[in-house]
Amino acid sequence: MNTAPQNLASPAPAGTGELAARFAREFGGTPEGIWQAPGRVNLIGEHTDYNEGFVLPFAIDRTARVAVRVRPDSTVRLLSTYGDQGVVNARLDSLQPGSAKGWTKYPLGVMWALQQRGIEVPGIDLLLDSDVPLGAGLSSSHAIECAVISALNELTGAGLEAQDMVLATQRAENEFVGAPTGIMDQSASLRGSEGHAVFLDCRDQNARLVPFETQPADLVMLVIDTKVSHSHADGGYASRRASCELGAEVLGVKALRDVQVGDLAEASGLLDEVTFRRVRHVVTENDRVLRTVELLESEGPGAIGSLLDASHASMRDDFEISCAELDLAVDTSRASGAIGARMTGGGFGGAAVALTPVALEQAVRDAVVKAFADAGYKVPDIFTVSPAAGARRIA
């Protein structure tokens, strides 16, 4: 079940003053601070993270923001600026997996995960505002979690490093929310930097920034939100992960990270047809991530289009996590001038990205909208994103 509110357009982000004023109206006092964390686009490297492989996401210029005030008791009061859910109340001593509903799973999951680390978490009042599209595969849930853990890390004086916060939010996702995700989304949100992608080794959390600036190359990164909602808590994600674990077990490796492209011929004789295709996607995707990093550092973003295309084909055919709307967005973008396009995120809906020459941006937008209308699909939301800074306090 998708835990984020659905069928809601992403609202315009509130300014810090507006958010603080809304907080005061709702909770009767001023917040102690406002923290924000970005959503992310995964440039390339899908479903490689939980296989201890490589990913290349970047934080985007759409964020979740939380205004927070510590309470003198163990009550948690949560409110979002979107939807009509009203204030949700919870108690710190009753937090356990399955105890939260809707978007509140994410902040409450973070608080629970910090408690599991032995950190004394206070009651809080929290107001959430976000313009990260919901259910689009741009990690709206992790943006919330990273904003909350950034706030609590400061307010409790826990002194957690980025890698500690990554693991804490992963535990919140895996055990509290019930989504078997890896560490990519949190890493991008917490470690992002303007003008860069985050090259992450998911085995040891080693991360370094890779230049990814589209403007000097006369390119834009278009995001095409298909409006087909997805959820990591649904069974498709878990079944793909189980296939990867089975493949690693049969091949006698710790994780699929340890299988090279040259090993695939032998692997095909050891695995059933479906498991082999799942394995082939992960192995070739890891290779594509490494080649993308090399090209970005040597030639720039104009050289990576064919790798984006190959990544989408692999997700469509081998991992089988695309859908008709995503395929149409990718195919139409390429036919209309994008130099490379792929679905991004966990799949089964969500968004595609299209790396597009500035001069052809409008042509691509128009072609995709027309193609969706002709197919009888919902009108897609199309917008540009740029690599942005990671989670931080903003007021």
Side-chain angles (χ1 to χ4, degrees):
M1 180 179 67
N2 197 339
T3 54
Q6 298 306 308
N7 301 317
L8 293 170
S10 300
T16 55
E18 181 184 350
L19 197 60
R22 173 74 182 272
F23 184 98
R25 290 195 303 271
E26 299 290 349
F27 295 118
T30 58
E32 294 183 50
I34 299 174
W35 290 260
Q36 76 173 25
R40 66 97 187 95
V41 159
N42 191 21
L43 184 59
I44 197 164
E46 225 65 74
H47 289 264
T48 50
D49 58 345
Y50 55 80
N51 289 291
E52 300 187 10
F54 304 103
V55 293
L56 190 64
F58 62 90
I60 63 174
D61 45 354
R62 294 204 173 200
T63 63
R65 292 160 293 282
V66 292
V68 182
R69 179 182 63 183
V70 173
R71 295 177 55 84
D73 54 27
S74 60
T75 298
V76 180
R77 296 194 297 175
L78 306 171
L79 179 65
S80 169
T81 60
Y82 51 77
D84 55 2
Q85 192 172 4
V87 175
V88 176
N89 293 279
R91 289 192 59 81
L92 288 168
D93 55 9
S94 62
L95 295 182
Q96 56 184 342
S99 65
K101 305 295 182 184
W103 71 271
T104 65
K105 283 186 177 183
Y106 305 117
L108 293 176
V110 167
M111 301 180 84
W112 173 85
L114 290 176
Q115 288 178 325
Q116 302 310 300
R117 296 178 69 98
I119 295 171
E120 187 173 343
V121 179
I124 60 171
D125 294 329
L126 180 149
L127 176 63
L128 166 70
D129 179 62
S130 178
D131 66 339
V132 184
L134 303 168
L138 302 181
S139 203
S140 57
S141 61
H142 287 95
I144 296 170
E145 291 168 348
C146 291
V148 171
I149 201 168
S150 297
L152 291 175
N153 189 43
E154 181 176 336
L155 292 172
T156 64
L160 298 178
E161 300 293 336
Q163 64 181 19
D164 298 315
M165 291 191 282
V166 165
L167 294 176
T169 52
Q170 183 192 23
R171 185 172 187 183
E173 279 280 323
N174 291 175
E175 299 181 29
F176 194 89
V177 176
T181 57
I183 63 171
M184 174 182 67
D185 296 348
Q186 305 96 319
S187 297
S189 188
L190 289 163
R191 292 169 154 164
S193 176
E194 185 175 352
H196 294 82
V198 180
F199 176 40
L200 177 67
D201 183 335
C202 296
R203 171 160 283 173
D204 61 10
Q205 280 206 63
N206 182 53
R208 66 180 173 90
L209 298 175
V210 175
F212 181 61
E213 295 184 284
T214 55
Q215 186 175 1
D218 292 322
L219 297 168
V220 293
M221 179 61 85
L222 286 176
V223 173
I224 304 163
D225 180 0
T226 66
K227 299 298 183 179
V228 179
S229 187
H230 82 147
S231 172
H232 281 168
D234 287 341
Y237 187 99
S239 70
R240 296 310 186 278
R241 184 163 186 164
S243 288
C244 293
E245 292 169 352
L246 173 62
E249 180 181 357
V250 172
L251 296 176
V253 295
K254 182 175 182 288
L256 293 183
R257 150 73 170 273
D258 300 310
V259 182
Q260 305 302 313
V261 172
D263 300 327
L264 288 173
E266 180 181 356
S268 67
L270 300 173
L271 302 168
D272 66 84
E273 189 265 339
V274 172
T275 304
F276 172 69
R277 286 192 288 109
R278 305 294 189 251
V279 168
R280 181 169 60 187
H281 164 71
V282 173
V283 173
T284 57
E285 187 80 343
N286 272 324
D287 183 64
R288 283 187 287 269
V289 173
L290 297 176
R291 289 158 57 197
T292 299
V293 169
E294 291 176 0
L295 287 173
L296 285 176
E297 293 182 327
S298 62
E299 299 182 40
I304 68 172
S306 63
L307 291 169
L308 302 183
D309 294 341
S311 176
H312 183 78
S314 181
M315 290 184 288
R316 180 192 65 210
D317 301 335
D318 278 353
F319 224 60
E320 296 181 290
I321 53 172
S322 189
C323 64
E325 291 86 348
L326 285 168
D327 292 341
L328 183 62
V330 167
D331 294 344
T332 303
S333 297
R334 290 290 288 114
S336 305
I339 68 169
R342 65 186 289 271
M343 58 151 283
T344 188
F348 311 104
V353 292
L355 191 57
T356 304
V358 171
L360 297 175
E361 176 186 348
Q362 194 59 50
V364 170
R365 287 174 176 266
D366 293 344
V368 171
V369 170
K370 182 178 186 302
F372 271 54
D374 291 346
Y377 298 152
K378 294 178 182 178
V379 178
D381 186 15
I382 305 175
F383 53 92
T384 61
V385 292
S386 300
R392 64 195 189 279
R393 182 173 182 151
I394 58 172

